[in-house]
Structure formats: C-alpha cells, structure tokens
Amino acid sequence: MTTEQLPKNQPNSNNPNDVLLRDGLSQDSAATQPPFVDEHEFNIHLANNDNYDGLTFEVIEAEVAEGKRVVSRGVYLAPNLITTLSLLSGFYSILASTDGKFYQASLAIFLSAILDGADGRVARMLNAQSPFGEQYDSLADMLAFGIAPAILIYSFALEPLGRIGLGCAFVFTACGAFRLARFNVQVGTVDKKYFVGLASPLAAILVTAAVMVAMDHNEWVGQYDSLVMTLFAAWVVICGLLMVSNVKYYSFKEFDKKKVPFVVLIVGVLVMSIVLYDIPVGILAIGIIYALSGIVTTLKAKSKS
C-alpha cells in the first residue's frame, strides 16, 4: 500500500490527534496511529512511509503514551547501554568457559544478573520503557542466562558424559528460551508480584553458584568425579524445568515500596554476614531456599483448594 492508497476513512488532517505519516516520522515528535482497519495494515503503512536512505540505522516502534497509540523513532540510551553491558558479560562468560577459566566465567554471569536488574530499574526511573528495550533485554537474557550457564556447566563437569551431558546442558538452554518467550507473551496478564516459573537470572545463579562451590571445595576431584558429574547433570535439568514450571515465585518488584518491621533489617544483616563467610555457598543456599519456597507455597495453595 503506497502513501496515495490510504484507507477511505482517513481522519481530518486539521485534527492534531489524527496525524498521518505521509513524509516519515519527525526525529523529535511522535505521530498518532491512523485508524487503519487492522494492525497488519498499519504496519504496511509504516513500512511504506519511512525515509531510510539505505545507510541509516534507526528504530521505529509503536507504543502507548498518555493512553494513545503513538509511533516513535529512536531508542532510550541509558537502559539499553546497561543491557548491552549485560550482553557483553554473558558473551565474555562463554569465551571464558571454553577457555577453561570457569571462575571468571561464573563472575561474568553474576555481573550480568546485576546489570539485568539495573536496566529495568533505570528504565522505570527515567520513564524510558519501550517495546524495543523489552525485546532487546530478552535477547540479552537468553545469551547471559540461557546459553552462558549451560556452556559453563557443560565445559566444567558434563563434557565427559558425552551426549548425555550435552543433552542435559541443552535442556537448560531450551527451557531458558521457553521461559523468556512465555514471559514476553504474559506481560500485562499476570500479577507483577510473582514470577510464573523460576526467573532465568535466578536459575543461572543456581547453576553458576554450584560450579563455584565445586571449585572452592575440590576435595572430590579424582575421587567422586562420576558422582559429581551425575549430580551436576541432574541439577542443571532441575533448574531448567523450574523455569518452565507454573510454580509462582515472589518477584520482589514492589518490596522496596513498602515498609517492613525493623527486625527484618536485622535479619538481613545477619544473612549478609553468613554469606560473606563463604560467598558461593551462601548464594547457593539462598538460591535453593528461594527455589524451594515457591514449590512449598504452591503445594500449600493446592492443598487448601
């Protein structure tokens, strides 16, 4: 459909809320979506009215602003740069794992998890949320929390198992992809207080912390190798399946907006002190407790119903 073949029900051009996209979009303004028959027709119109010269990199996306559907050009810098840093950390983790630098690879995944939490908060704080940012964040999460942990644990413990080890590592990666895809399609339809299934960064931390604990406490090397490899194979599959389960986990997204009893702060300090004594063991223990909490809560809810 060309610019001359617009729908017959095109709005009055004198109405500022019904601006047609005839000559492309302005760099510093957003145009309201014309009342086309359906989404497909709107996308065709948008594609036929760009002003690309073949050399320009640009993003044009539809979003909702002040209750109206608008089309804007460009991306928000701060949150997307943080997401890029998370992506870089995940990429470095893969390189480190294949090079046998497992501790560095583990630390890179932890850094990705921290950056992944930061980009969303920065976007909300700056009111810089966008469809592009959401999709870019999911792609970065897939590499940092779906692929990097699987390569780490495969390179560290599962490679001697051959195809079985490869299959177990792939289960984690596939479940990570399923979990992120399901999260994207359920945005706005589920309670934000809860994650449906274990969040991919938390699943990645469980796998990564287990590798770090094994490296710090390596008395088993040469004695219980077969047992440890079997345990790691089972562990990575369990973490993957928890991501695609329907178990509800508290998201803590609204936790910082509410007051809590003062004793909770004291408990937090004690927990941090215990974790500092042995950081990998402490993180793994907290992760396991969190993973079990969702299962226990779900079972209690089912028993009452």
Side-chain angles (χ1 to χ4, degrees), residues 1-302:
M1 182 174 68
T2 63
T3 54
E4 289 80 10
Q5 296 173 321
L6 296 176
K8 294 182 180 180
N9 61 339
Q10 69 182 34
N12 184 353
S13 59
N14 294 326
N15 187 347
N17 292 326
D18 296 321
V19 181
L20 289 175
L21 309 177
R22 295 192 181 94
D23 299 321
L25 298 174
S26 172
Q27 290 283 358
D28 55 358
S29 64
T32 304
Q33 175 192 347
F36 292 114
V37 175
D38 54 27
E39 184 75 13
H40 178 66
E41 195 170 354
F42 169 64
N43 291 334
I44 293 177
H45 175 68
L46 182 63
N48 288 340
N49 285 275
D50 63 51
N51 59 357
Y52 296 164
D53 57 9
L55 298 175
T56 304
F57 295 95
E58 192 53 277
V59 174
I60 297 177
E61 61 183 6
E63 55 185 327
V64 177
E66 298 181 355
K68 298 179 181 179
R69 182 74 177 277
V70 299
V71 177
S72 61
R73 183 188 295 269
V75 297
Y76 295 109
L77 182 61
N80 287 301
L81 279 181
I82 297 175
T83 302
T84 303
L85 289 175
S86 176
L87 181 66
L88 174 61
S89 295
F91 178 71
Y92 174 78
S93 175
I94 293 174
L95 296 181
S97 295
T98 55
D99 199 29
K101 301 176 181 178
F102 303 124
Y103 219 89
Q104 295 181 17
S106 300
L107 292 176
I109 293 174
F110 274 103
L111 179 58
S112 291
I114 294 172
L115 293 170
D116 179 66
D119 63 1
R121 289 187 176 274
V122 169
R124 289 188 292 271
M125 182 177 63
L126 299 178
N127 195 24
Q129 297 166 288
S130 68
F132 172 83
E134 292 175 359
Q135 299 304 318
Y136 183 37
D137 182 69
S138 289
L139 293 173
D141 287 355
M142 181 58 207
L143 185 137
F145 311 127
I147 299 176
I151 293 178
L152 169 64
I153 200 167
Y154 175 78
S155 302
F156 177 72
L158 302 184
E159 189 172 3
L161 296 177
R163 294 180 181 179
I164 295 177
L166 179 64
C168 292
F170 178 69
V171 166
F172 183 88
T173 296
C175 289
F178 296 153
R179 200 263 179 245
L180 290 168
R182 184 176 67 175
F183 177 81
N184 287 345
V185 300
Q186 289 182 341
V187 171
T189 63
V190 297
D191 191 348
K192 292 183 178 180
K193 293 182 179 179
Y194 299 95
F195 294 125
V196 179
L198 190 65
S200 56
L202 297 173
I205 287 175
L206 284 175
V207 172
T208 303
V211 172
M212 297 179 73
V213 169
M215 293 183 67
D216 288 341
H217 304 274
N218 56 6
E219 300 85 3
W220 55 269
V221 175
Q223 299 180 21
Y224 310 103
D225 291 357
S226 298
L227 175 60
V228 171
M229 286 188 293
T230 303
L231 290 175
F232 269 112
W235 182 243
V236 73
V237 170
I238 291 171
C239 292
L241 293 178
L242 283 176
M243 285 192 285
V244 295
S245 69
N246 286 329
V247 176
K248 287 187 176 182
Y249 290 95
Y250 189 67
S251 67
F252 296 101
K253 289 185 177 180
E254 298 181 359
F255 185 74
D256 55 353
K257 297 180 181 179
K258 297 181 180 179
K259 287 188 175 182
V260 296
F262 179 71
V263 68
V264 175
L265 183 60
I266 299 176
V267 172
V269 172
L270 293 176
V271 171
M272 285 189 290
S273 300
I274 296 172
V275 170
L276 288 175
Y277 178 76
D278 192 326
I279 294 178
V281 171
I283 293 176
L284 180 60
I286 293 174
I288 292 174
I289 292 172
Y290 179 76
L292 292 175
S293 68
I295 297 175
V296 171
T297 302
T298 301
L299 291 177
K300 285 184 177 180
K302 285 189 174 182

